[in-house]
Amino acid sequence: MARCKSCGAEIRWIKTTAGNPMPCNQEQQTFVTPDGQTLRGHVPHWATCPHSKQWKRGAQRELF
């Protein structure tokens, strides 16, 4: 299992529809669309990682 280099959370790598790898939280979530559909999927890890700002392009990174 992969782990986030910043916070140590378990992540899973998922390919987007464009074929690019995206780190996501391990557990699946249930989502309801505006038209009432229920979907299950993974939340991108950058949306919940407390250190996500340091990984944005152009951000200054601190080594700790």
Side-chain angles (χ1 to χ4, degrees):
M1 186 60 50
R3 292 202 172 266
C4 175
K5 292 180 182 179
S6 297
C7 71
E10 287 185 358
I11 57 174
R12 90 174 17 209
W13 288 91
I14 294 176
K15 282 195 178 183
T16 65
T17 55
N20 298 318
M22 179 173 62
C24 292
N25 292 337
Q26 183 63 25
E27 65 281 346
Q28 284 192 336
Q29 299 286 322
T30 301
F31 304 93
V32 180
T33 65
D35 64 352
Q37 278 187 300
T38 302
L39 305 171
R40 294 218 15 106
H42 296 274
V43 175
H45 184 64
W46 45 259
T48 61
C49 181
H51 305 287
S52 64
K53 288 181 183 177
Q54 79 180 26
W55 294 101
K56 289 191 179 197
R57 288 186 184 134
Q60 275 190 308
R61 294 189 180 149
E62 293 182 22
L63 299 174
F64 48 97

